[in-house]
Amino acid sequence: MAPFLAYEDKGPVSPRQPLVPLVLVHGHPFDRTMWAPQLGTFSAARRVIAPDLRGYGASPTAPALTDFARFARDIEALLDELGVESFVLAGLSMGGQIAMDCYRQFPGRVRGLVLADTFPAAETPDGVRTRDAMADRLLREGMRGYADEVLERMVAPHAPADVKAHVHRMMTATSPEGAAAALRARARRPDYTALLTQVRVPALVVVGSDDTYTPVSDARALHAALPDADLHIIEGAAHMPNLERPAEFDQALGEFLARVDARQPSPAPPRP
């Protein structure tokens, strides 16, 4: 059971639905509303599920996270509860790393993997100290100062005002306790680099051309490690291209989903 996860579950739910469900995993420090454009675009034809991770959005903070593996198990429990056996899994930034952990734990359920503005390596010793210090700061000061500082790295300075407002609102609404727990878990995540070379499903790597957190060079390395992957660079976007350039992001994602759908067996005809 996964009663602690708030989530969106939109689109057709028929077991004979020929299109593979899409599961969307948000980044830090955001919530499921970061996927609003994609929920609107893709739920017209397929089932789309977007949870609030533990400690984010409307999902309770307690019990605190101890590692990324628990995030992945939370998602698996939710999908079990919803009766979703197989799916395309998409994650952005921290959500991409959680998607990698999902593939590590239950690869047989993943039909396609979308990794946006993310990277697979474990944290460096300096990175561990930086994330732990930021966790301490968020608990001490709250989210607003951090949100003000990073807004124009999360999205490009020229991003639309409503997108900036949405991103800032998500960050300031996040529980400092949830964000701090996730930062400590993220600092101690495993290295997924070797795992990528073993991925046996189609993958899509997406990155904003102006992303300074996970630059295009990281996306190219990610793409090179995956055996069967496409790379799409979205011009004029920073760390959140799905919100900054939703039409371009959705086009790339839609083409990838069509590719995955084409690999699926046709649903059995109804019995007479």
Side-chain angles (χ1 to χ4, degrees):
M1 298 289 287
F4 46 82
L5 281 178
Y7 58 90
E8 299 287 346
D9 181 5
K10 295 186 174 182
V13 297
S14 167
R16 300 192 183 280
Q17 165 60 242
L19 303 184
V20 182
L22 173 63
V23 178
L24 301 167
V25 186
H26 68 76
H28 164 89
F30 307 120
D31 57 47
R32 68 185 190 269
T33 69
M34 69 159 276
W35 295 112
Q38 290 69 49
L39 281 159
T41 296
F42 295 105
S43 65
R46 76 177 67 235
R47 191 174 187 182
V48 184
I49 298 160
D52 277 342
L53 296 169
R54 183 192 297 251
Y56 293 89
S59 290
T61 298
L65 274 170
T66 55
D67 56 40
F68 262 29
R70 185 54 190 262
F71 270 138
R73 291 196 296 272
D74 286 350
I75 292 169
E76 184 179 33
L78 174 63
L79 296 174
D80 286 346
E81 192 173 284
L82 296 177
V84 178
E85 178 57 33
S86 62
F87 43 87
V88 171
L89 183 61
L92 184 144
S93 192
M94 183 181 78
Q97 294 166 335
I98 293 167
M100 295 179 218
D101 210 285
C102 289
Y103 190 85
R104 180 182 67 84
Q105 295 195 57
F106 41 93
R109 300 180 70 169
V110 179
R111 294 290 174 263
L113 192 59
V114 181
L115 301 174
D117 299 82
T118 192
F119 64 99
E123 197 57 84
T124 65
D126 282 348
V128 172
R129 288 188 288 272
T130 297
R131 291 195 191 279
D132 284 348
M134 180 58 72
D136 291 341
R137 176 190 168 186
L138 296 182
L139 291 172
R140 185 174 63 250
E141 300 178 6
M143 299 298 294
R144 180 165 295 276
Y146 169 79
D148 291 346
E149 288 172 15
V150 303
L151 177 60
E152 291 194 350
R153 287 189 70 192
M154 293 294 187
V155 297
H158 53 263
D162 60 332
V163 171
K164 287 186 178 181
H166 180 191
V167 171
H168 193 268
R169 185 167 59 250
M170 286 191 291
M171 290 193 286
T172 55
T174 295
S175 157
E177 293 77 15
L183 280 170
R184 297 191 200 284
R186 193 176 189 186
R188 292 156 182 84
R189 68 185 181 274
D191 191 325
Y192 300 109
T193 305
L195 174 71
L196 294 179
T197 66
Q198 303 167 21
V199 171
R200 296 293 176 256
V201 297
L204 171 66
V205 178
V206 184
V207 67
S209 64
D210 300 336
D211 192 345
T212 58
Y213 285 116
T214 53
V216 171
S217 58
D218 284 357
R220 292 192 188 280
L222 194 62
H223 173 248
L226 289 157
D228 180 12
D230 298 323
L231 172 64
H232 195 89
I233 301 168
I234 298 184
E235 296 297 328
H239 195 54
M240 303 186 72
N242 71 301
L243 283 174
E244 298 173 81
R245 296 287 187 270
E248 293 91 331
F249 186 94
D250 289 357
Q251 180 176 348
L253 179 55
E255 291 171 357
F256 177 74
L257 290 169
R259 179 183 168 202
V260 174
D261 291 335
R263 294 166 59 108
Q264 305 309 305
S266 299
R271 294 186 177 184

